Amino acid sequence: MVIGGIAVIARGVPRTTLDIDATVWAEGLDLDRALAVFAAHGIAPRIDDARAFAIERQVLLLSHEASKMPLDVALAWLPFEHEALARATLVDFGGFHATVARAEDLIVYKSIAWRERDRTDIERLLALHRDEIDLSRVRNLLAQFAAALDAPERVAEFETLVDRVSHTRLR
């Protein structure tokens, strides 16, 4: 499933990105086989011992050899990630079809990363998709991740973003 900037663009937010972020369900995944499949498609590790890094950090750091485009493939284990994969939809990228995370799930992913770009993406996704986003679900998941990340302030900061989008829409 595509996540990150490309997914945000697919969900209607105009922006730029310099990489591709994706995730795969990791249960039962054979990393050696996955790396071989990527290699067969011209996608190679961009760091030494990418396999060991993936086991430790739960992400494969790859690069498309011809274009030099970075590709980060997160190894999904959490129930939220399983749910997001199941909820994803197929998006047509000019004849190329890819499974993309829904706006609601992108907001959760972006709430975990929480960089400035992520907060901007959250605001824009909320503005575009507010009527189809289950904010109770997002708030519940965000509270769980904020507790796990020892970042309780993130919940209040998220509410500030929600309020800002709500006030913008009323004008």
Side-chain angles (χ1 to χ4, degrees):
M1 169 179 70
V2 178
I3 56 176
I6 298 290
V8 171
I9 293 166
R11 295 300 175 203
V13 174
R15 73 184 293 267
T16 59
T17 188
L18 301 174
D19 67 354
I20 299 172
D21 299 299
T23 190
V24 296
W25 186 240
E27 186 175 334
L29 180 68
D30 179 338
L31 277 177
D32 292 324
R33 183 166 172 356
L35 287 166
V37 170
F38 281 120
H41 293 283
I43 300 169
R46 66 176 196 262
I47 62 169
D48 292 333
D49 207 355
R51 184 183 188 287
F53 184 88
I55 290 168
E56 180 183 332
R57 302 276 179 97
Q58 303 304 301
V59 64
L60 279 168
L61 300 178
L62 308 167
S63 179
H64 181 253
E65 293 175 311
S67 66
K68 305 297 183 217
M69 175 69 71
L71 170 63
D72 294 352
V73 180
L75 305 179
W77 294 96
L78 300 174
F80 158 71
E81 294 169 303
H82 191 259
E83 210 175 276
L85 282 159
R87 292 164 38 96
T89 61
L90 204 58
V91 173
D92 181 355
F93 290 92
F96 173 78
H97 295 85
T99 304
V100 177
R102 295 169 56 115
E104 182 176 310
D105 295 320
L106 286 171
I107 289 170
V108 176
Y109 277 112
K110 295 287 186 175
S111 296
I112 296 165
W114 207 247
R115 299 164 302 199
E116 181 60 36
R117 166 49 87 193
D118 299 307
R119 293 188 298 273
T120 299
D121 287 344
I122 289 168
E123 279 191 77
R124 295 173 87 187
L125 286 164
L126 281 170
L128 282 172
H129 300 280
R130 178 70 185 259
D131 295 337
E132 61 197 64
I133 292 171
D134 180 350
L135 275 175
S136 295
R137 177 178 176 266
V138 172
R139 286 176 172 121
N140 180 47
L141 289 164
L142 174 57
Q144 292 175 46
F145 283 116
L149 295 168
D150 195 25
E153 69 284 353
R154 199 162 299 178
V155 174
E157 292 169 358
F158 176 77
E159 290 304 328
T160 299
L161 295 180
V162 172
D163 288 346
R164 188 167 31 231
V165 169
S166 295
H167 285 77
T168 302
R169 289 186 64 189
L170 294 175
R171 291 180 187 171

